[in-house]
Amino acid sequence: MCGIIGFTGNINAKEVLLQGLKALEYRGYDSAGISFFTGTGIKTIKAVGKVAGLVEKTVMSDDDTKCGIGHTRWATHGGVSEVNCHPHHFGKVTLIHNGIIENYKELQEELALEGKEPVSQTDSEIAAMVIDSYYKSDPVSAIKKAVKKLRGAYAFCIMFTDHPGSIYAIRNGSPLVATTTGAGSIIASDMVALIKYSKDYFVLPEHHIAHLTASSINITDLDHNEIEPDMLHVNWDMAAARKGGYEYFMLKEIHEQPEALRNTISPRIKDGMPDFSADGIDDSLFKDINRIIIAACGTAMHAGLIGKNMIEKLSRVPVSVDIASEFRYQDPVIDENTLVITISQSGETADTLAALRLAKERGAKTLSIVNVKGSSIARESDYVLYTHAGPEIAVASTKAYTVQLAAMYLVAFRFAYIKGKITEDKTKEFIKELEKTPGFVEKMLSCDKAIEPISNKLLKTESLFFIGRGLDYALSCEGSIKLKEISYIHSEAYAAGELKHGTISLITDNVPVIALATQEDVFAKMISNIREVRSRGARVIMITGADAQVDAALCDHLITLPPVSDVFAPFGAAIVLQYIAYYTAVARGLNVDQPRNLAKSVTVE
Ligand code: M6R
């Protein structure tokens, strides 16, 4: 939700900013802009549309600069236009912002009384005006006074006309990571913009001001105390943040799943048992838990649906799955025996973070399953299980989903074992199977040849349905969101048995139905449901397990998973669904990695 970057050092700042914005573009791509110090002041270049447009414009300017800030926007306040594009200037202040200033209207009215009017429709420009109104000559003091007046989420990088070579930054809610290298000091919304320069970084603590100069970053709290940030390290490199020969990041990330699964599963197996001691989690966390709530958004929430199924089945402890944006406004029943699990790839999703905070406030124990190291959700949870998928750049989540499943399976096995619901032998049996999932997923990757022609036939479809029961229903939800977000085809996921309670009226000649039937215990029921849609003219694409006996007349296309026990079938079916979405979007000529209206990380409500 907007990508921001600031650099000051001894190399060409424009290049650092533009490369950084390219890397951050997945966070928002409505418009982009940079501001930088020149010998005569601050210069700004803006362009509506993708960062490529900004690069083209910037090439025409030959100013030499070593210090600047850049922004790629996902519009919240004010339409997509050059005037609303960041950076924003007012008086001596030039600023970029990620987040939302909730009280910007009130502040705008106050400023109007002093005769100050913004030129854009953005809340961000109002923030620049407020900072400027406190600015005499001391940036830190102006920022401190201004943020007291701001309500909402923000990460700001700010330059002051009379402080060339310096960038100031502060955040509340929205992420900022930074590092100093031989080339200079760099700060950005996320590590993908920093990785070219360093694998070591720190997360700017909330409500602290960072002052970046070419040689150092100085951090002070709001009482002027200097602090040393905790350094973190990532174990991936530039190659992970590049397309590496794939047409789209999404396809690359689909192919990275075996490795991501291996990296997530292997370090948590000791003597054949699930083991979280290296994560600092011992069994006392699980002992007294009599209820689990999973809160997450989108794909992460769908991973939670599979997790619920597994935990309840194995441990007989009730689990509910909440959409985080709903959970935060409910009055959830929580006590100290409740475990709230939040799942998030980015670890910055505003609703999931708010759900976590509410759970803590109410006294729950909290565990998060997060991909991005040092992110807000990871830092604020009592316990964190990192998924080791590496950076996920495509807006459509793929590898993050399957590693979230793996983490949920590990939790389900350990929890059921601790609760005495499965024996050590049974737990080891499950773990053996889980260890095979990277290989299983590897095999699945070659099903693209079968899927592509099926997707080509979905090209002109206006609407379609995913159906399934149990684990397959949870997967249907994921299949549907994936297809919708990148191919713009309307689809719905339905519990197969529920279809005839209304939705079946939409099934007419040639309406595609993607039917997941990988679960033996409900297979016969699924066959009946498929017959119901088939007899109303549906074009059926069926996904089954290896041993399933399927009457050829029942479907138009049959995709069979390699042999695997039902419990682990979701790992294979997920690949089929990801491919269906991917190839359909490609066939429709769409930008798979940057679907319209979306952004990778949703750091606003
Ligand atoms: O970073 P998070 O996992 O918290 O993000 C949650 C959702 O925004 C995300 O999964 C979204 O639904 C994906 N674009 C789906 O592919």
Side-chain angles (χ1 to χ4, degrees):
M1 194 108 328
C2 298
I4 70 180
I5 179 164
F7 173 78
T8 177
N10 47 41
I11 56 172
N12 182 345
K14 277 192 291 184
E15 235 173 82
V16 178
L17 298 179
L18 292 174
Q19 278 171 9
L21 289 182
K22 257 305 252 151
L24 293 167
E25 194 168 24
Y26 71 98
R27 301 179 65 91
Y29 31 84
D30 294 338
S31 55
I34 54 173
S35 289
F36 48 87
F37 283 100
T38 68
T40 53
I42 290 178
K43 181 166 178 178
T44 295
I45 306 174
K46 298 181 177 188
V48 169
K50 303 265 157 84
V51 173
L54 177 69
V55 174
E56 249 172 59
K57 271 187 152 177
T58 307
V59 167
M60 292 186 271
S61 114
D62 55 4
D63 311 270
D64 181 38
T65 183
K66 302 278 189 291
C67 175
I69 54 179
H71 186 275
T72 176
R73 181 169 187 244
W74 186 83
T76 55
H77 293 69
V80 178
S81 65
E82 209 160 295
V83 75
N84 288 335
C85 174
H86 299 218
H88 291 286
H89 305 276
F90 201 88
K92 293 209 161 102
V93 170
T94 300
L95 154 154
I96 48 176
H97 170 215
N98 171 28
I100 285 186
I101 306 302
E102 287 163 5
N103 59 335
Y104 83 103
K105 271 275 166 223
E106 285 158 56
L107 296 169
Q108 186 173 353
E109 278 159 20
E110 278 178 33
L111 290 160
L113 295 177
E114 297 166 26
K116 294 175 183 166
E117 292 294 342
V119 293
S120 74
Q121 291 84 50
T122 65
D123 53 337
S124 312
E125 188 186 359
I126 303 298
M129 293 167 79
V130 174
I131 296 171
D132 184 71
S133 71
Y134 287 112
Y135 185 61
K136 302 290 175 269
S137 60
D138 177 2
V140 171
S141 140
I143 294 169
K144 271 177 26 189
K145 286 179 187 148
V147 293
K148 281 195 187 131
K149 298 208 71 168
L150 305 179
R151 265 203 329 268
Y154 49 80
F156 294 125
C157 287
I158 312 156
M159 299 194 302
F160 294 83
T161 315
D162 48 355
H163 286 264
S166 280
I167 296 169
Y168 294 84
I170 187 164
R171 71 180 200 99
N172 173 38
S174 308
L176 276 178
V177 291
T179 195
T180 303
T181 70
S185 300
I186 181 163
I187 188 160
S189 304
D190 133 6
M191 204 42 209
V192 292
L194 268 55
I195 191 72
K196 183 167 176 206
Y197 308 95
S198 175
K199 285 184 167 190
D200 299 303
Y201 69 105
F202 64 87
V203 176
L204 178 64
E206 285 187 292
H207 315 125
H208 284 64
I209 297 176
H211 176 199
L212 285 80
T213 60
S215 56
S216 65
I217 304 179
N218 174 263
I219 302 168
T220 48
D221 65 17
L222 294 179
D223 297 319
H224 292 284
N225 301 308
E226 240 180 73
I227 70 128
E228 273 305 313
D230 296 334
M231 292 307 290
L232 298 167
H233 180 81
V234 286
N235 52 9
W236 46 271
D237 56 18
M238 273 291 283
R242 285 198 181 123
K243 272 192 225 163
Y246 287 91
E247 196 181 353
Y248 286 105
F249 275 109
M250 182 178 174
L251 190 60
K252 175 179 179 244
E253 288 159 7
I254 289 174
H255 281 260
E256 285 171 345
Q257 289 175 101
E259 197 195 337
L261 283 164
R262 236 169 255 127
N263 293 343
T264 302
I265 296 166
S266 314
R268 281 144 186 155
I269 297 174
K270 205 169 153 197
D271 302 326
M273 290 291 283
D275 183 284
F276 303 125
S277 45
D279 301 287
I281 301 172
D282 66 43
D283 292 340
S284 59
L285 169 65
F286 298 134
K287 276 227 163 74
D288 300 323
I289 297 300
N290 56 24
R291 187 162 168 248
I292 294 179
I293 298 173
I294 299 174
C297 299
T299 287
M301 190 271 290
H302 297 154
L305 292 175
I306 300 257
K308 167 189 161 76
N309 209 297
M310 292 299 299
I311 297 173
E312 282 187 338
K313 197 178 281 176
L314 298 181
S315 65
R316 312 307 305 147
V317 167
V319 182
S320 55
V321 181
D322 278 272
I323 295 170
S325 56
E326 289 295 309
F327 179 82
R328 64 183 295 187
Y329 294 113
Q330 284 161 5
D331 191 6
V333 183
I334 287 176
D335 62 25
E336 69 283 3
N337 296 325
T338 309
L339 175 66
V340 173
I341 303 179
T342 47
I343 309 176
S344 175
Q345 187 285 130
S346 62
E348 299 294 348
T349 299
D351 289 316
T352 310
L353 181 59
L356 166 66
R357 287 178 178 162
L358 176 65
K360 285 182 82 173
E361 231 174 80
R362 299 277 169 110
K365 298 195 171 73
T366 59
L367 166 70
S368 64
I369 295 174
V370 172
N371 196 41
V372 176
K373 236 181 175 175
S375 54
S376 304
I377 293 173
R379 281 180 294 110
E380 292 193 27
S381 302
D382 298 332
Y383 301 95
V384 55
L385 275 183
Y386 281 115
T387 52
H388 299 299
E392 192 181 63
I393 311 283
V395 165
S397 191
T398 52
K399 60 176 178 173
Y401 173 70
T402 44
V403 294
Q404 284 160 357
L405 295 191
M408 285 305 321
Y409 276 53
L410 286 163
V411 169
F413 299 151
R414 185 82 208 174
F415 188 63
Y417 171 69
I418 296 302
K419 289 280 174 198
K421 298 289 180 184
I422 54 172
T423 61
E424 187 172 329
D425 283 351
K426 185 71 199 165
T427 313
K428 285 184 170 167
E429 221 176 274
F430 277 132
I431 286 295
K432 251 194 195 143
E433 287 283 304
L434 186 66
E435 280 184 295
K436 288 185 197 152
T437 53
F440 171 51
V441 165
E442 194 108 53
K443 267 192 213 143
M444 283 308 300
L445 291 176
S446 58
C447 77
D448 53 347
K449 288 158 210 78
I451 308 283
E452 199 176 348
I454 299 174
S455 284
N456 288 340
K457 290 190 181 152
L458 295 175
L459 192 64
K460 299 227 162 69
T461 298
E462 278 175 14
S463 187
L464 65 76
F465 294 86
F466 288 82
I467 59 171
R469 286 170 176 261
L471 286 173
D472 282 338
Y473 169 55
L475 272 160
S476 298
C477 296
E478 178 52 17
S480 178
I481 192 177
K482 212 91 304 171
L483 186 79
K484 273 185 274 216
E485 72 180 324
I486 61 169
S487 78
Y488 315 152
I489 294 174
H490 169 257
S491 79
E492 281 188 58
Y494 254 82
E498 182 67 10
L499 201 66
K500 51 186 160 302
H501 297 284
T503 312
I504 202 161
S505 61
L506 297 173
I507 306 290
T508 53
D509 266 355
N510 265 326
V511 169
V513 172
I514 299 176
L516 287 118
T518 69
Q519 302 296 304
E520 169 81 44
D521 58 341
V522 286
F523 187 74
K525 305 275 173 222
M526 268 309 293
I527 295 295
S528 308
N529 297 137
I530 294 171
R531 284 193 203 289
E532 287 158 12
V533 294
R534 191 78 176 148
S535 59
R536 283 155 182 93
R539 183 148 49 101
V540 175
I541 299 155
M542 193 172 166
I543 303 163
T544 63
D547 300 332
Q549 299 297 314
V550 179
D551 171 0
L554 198 64
C555 61
D556 297 273
H557 305 280
L558 180 66
I559 299 154
T560 309
L561 303 182
V564 69
S565 68
D566 288 6
V567 164
F568 295 91
F571 290 92
I575 308 299
V576 176
L577 299 174
Q578 292 167 358
Y579 273 147
I580 290 177
Y582 175 80
Y583 283 111
T584 308
V586 169
R588 285 164 72 94
L590 298 168
N591 182 338
V592 173
D593 286 339
Q594 294 175 348
R596 71 179 175 216
N597 302 339
L598 288 168
K600 179 73 180 161
S601 170
V602 185
T603 52
V604 294
E605 266 192 65

